[in-house]
């Protein structure tokens, strides 16, 4: 009886500790990365970074694509990232891409407020500037987490820049244009080469086709012989 009581007590304590442990170690959701895709006439920028918090380093993975008939990774040049606003300015430069098309930068904001992120790209072929407006620098991580939008449902198809850069790929904005009238034309459908077979008749004779459905290209059975109508009825 005593052994049974001690066993029940141990199980009860285990369940109680497990319940308290789960509750006390419930993890904070943490900061989720932001992602932006922007275009100029020359360049596409896709960039990911965590929300900016005063005193916390945020790392940027900036993917630069040179536009043209096909989109290609920017493999040479430098990028300067600037955080500009009424509270002050900060900047940092990556002199070369860490991988073809990808420039990695790290920025530690000094003051909270509303800023702009400015990307100045310099390549041997051209220069460009891309701006992301209305970027908030939060005073602490707690407020940054509270401001995060709720995640939408899944279903998106992922197509990485590293994949697109390896093939002949390009995209363009959807444009509203006038659709012209449909032009009606006549035509002739011909058999593909090799689809027709000519067989010589073994005896003389005449084959008559009755009805008006014997159009060119149709097949007609006369006894055990198959005929292909090659012209007229």
């Amino acid at each position: 009886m005593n052994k049974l009581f001690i066993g029940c007590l141990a199980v009860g304590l285990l369940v109680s500790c497990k319940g308290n442990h789960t509750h006390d170690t419930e993890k904070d959701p943490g900061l989720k990365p932001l992602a932006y895709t922007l275009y100029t006439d020359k360049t596409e920028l896709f960039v990911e970074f965590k929300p900016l918090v005063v005193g916390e380093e945020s790392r940027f993975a900036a993917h630069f694509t040179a536009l043209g008939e096909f989109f290609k990774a920017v493999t040479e040049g430098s990028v300067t990232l600037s955080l500009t606003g009424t509270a002050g300015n900060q900047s940092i430069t990556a002199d070369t891409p860490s991988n073809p098309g990808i420039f990695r930068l790290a920025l530690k904001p000094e003051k909270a407020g509303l800023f702009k992120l400015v990307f100045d790209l310099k390549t041997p072929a051209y220069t460009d500037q891309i701006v992301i407006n209305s970027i908030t620098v939060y005073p602490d991580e707690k407020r940054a987490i509270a401001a995060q939008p709720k995640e939408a449902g899944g279903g998106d198809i992922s197509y990485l820049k590293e994949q697109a850069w390896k093939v002949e790929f390009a995209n363009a904005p959807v444009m509203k244009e006038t659709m012209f009238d449909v032009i009606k034309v006549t035509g002739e459908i011909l058999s593909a080469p090799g689809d027709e077979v000519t067989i010589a008749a073994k005896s003389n004779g005449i084959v008559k086709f009755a009805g008006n459905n014997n159009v060119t290209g149709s097949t007609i059975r006369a006894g055990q012989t198959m005929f292909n109508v090659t012209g007229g009825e």
Side-chain angles (χ1 to χ4, degrees):
M1 185 69 178
N2 291 336
K3 291 182 180 180
L4 178 62
F5 176 75
I6 293 172
C8 292
L9 179 61
V11 172
L13 289 173
L14 179 61
V15 172
S16 177
C17 290
K18 185 178 179 181
N20 291 336
H21 180 74
T22 303
H23 178 76
D24 293 339
T25 59
E26 194 172 90
K27 291 186 177 181
D28 190 89
L31 290 174
K32 297 178 177 61
L34 304 173
Y36 291 85
T37 302
L38 302 100
Y39 291 86
T40 69
D41 294 336
K42 307 173 189 176
T43 312
E44 177 201 68
L45 167 64
F46 170 74
V47 61
E48 287 183 309
F49 59 95
K50 285 190 176 181
L52 304 183
V53 177
V54 172
E56 298 291 335
E57 184 179 76
S58 185
R59 298 184 178 184
F60 293 74
H63 300 61
F64 283 92
T65 304
L67 306 187
E69 182 181 2
F70 300 115
F71 289 9
K72 299 296 181 183
V74 174
T75 57
E76 295 182 88
S78 63
V79 173
T80 297
L81 170 61
S82 301
L83 183 67
T84 65
T86 57
N89 301 322
Q90 293 177 243
S91 64
I92 189 169
T93 300
D95 294 322
T96 57
S98 59
N99 301 93
I102 304 175
F103 292 80
R104 299 190 184 277
L105 307 107
L107 193 66
K108 185 183 291 186
E110 298 172 352
K111 295 181 181 180
L114 196 62
F115 294 82
K116 293 191 298 185
L117 282 174
V118 182
F119 295 83
D120 286 297
L121 173 66
K122 293 183 180 180
T123 75
Y126 71 96
T127 61
D128 204 356
Q129 184 180 86
I130 301 177
V131 179
I132 304 178
N133 293 301
S134 302
I135 294 294
T136 301
V137 176
Y138 297 94
D140 53 60
E141 187 173 312
K142 184 177 180 180
R143 297 190 194 185
I145 293 173
Q148 290 184 140
K150 294 182 179 179
E151 291 187 8
D156 294 340
I157 298 174
S158 175
Y159 189 48
L160 303 179
K161 292 298 174 189
E162 292 87 341
Q163 295 173 308
W165 289 333
K166 293 179 181 179
V167 298
E168 295 182 346
F169 172 82
N171 58 39
V174 176
M175 304 290 291
K176 184 178 180 180
E177 295 184 356
T178 302
M179 296 292 292
F180 295 96
D181 294 336
V182 177
I183 301 175
K184 295 182 179 180
V185 298
T186 58
E188 182 181 5
I189 300 175
L190 302 176
S191 300
D195 282 356
E196 293 185 358
V197 178
T198 301
I199 301 175
K202 295 182 179 180
S203 60
N204 296 329
I206 298 174
V207 177
K208 287 187 177 182
F209 300 128
N212 298 320
N213 297 322
N214 305 316
V215 297
T216 301
S218 61
T219 301
I220 298 171
R221 180 184 294 275
Q224 298 300 316
T225 306
M226 299 289 291
F227 296 89
N228 182 264
V229 182
T230 59
E233 296 178 356

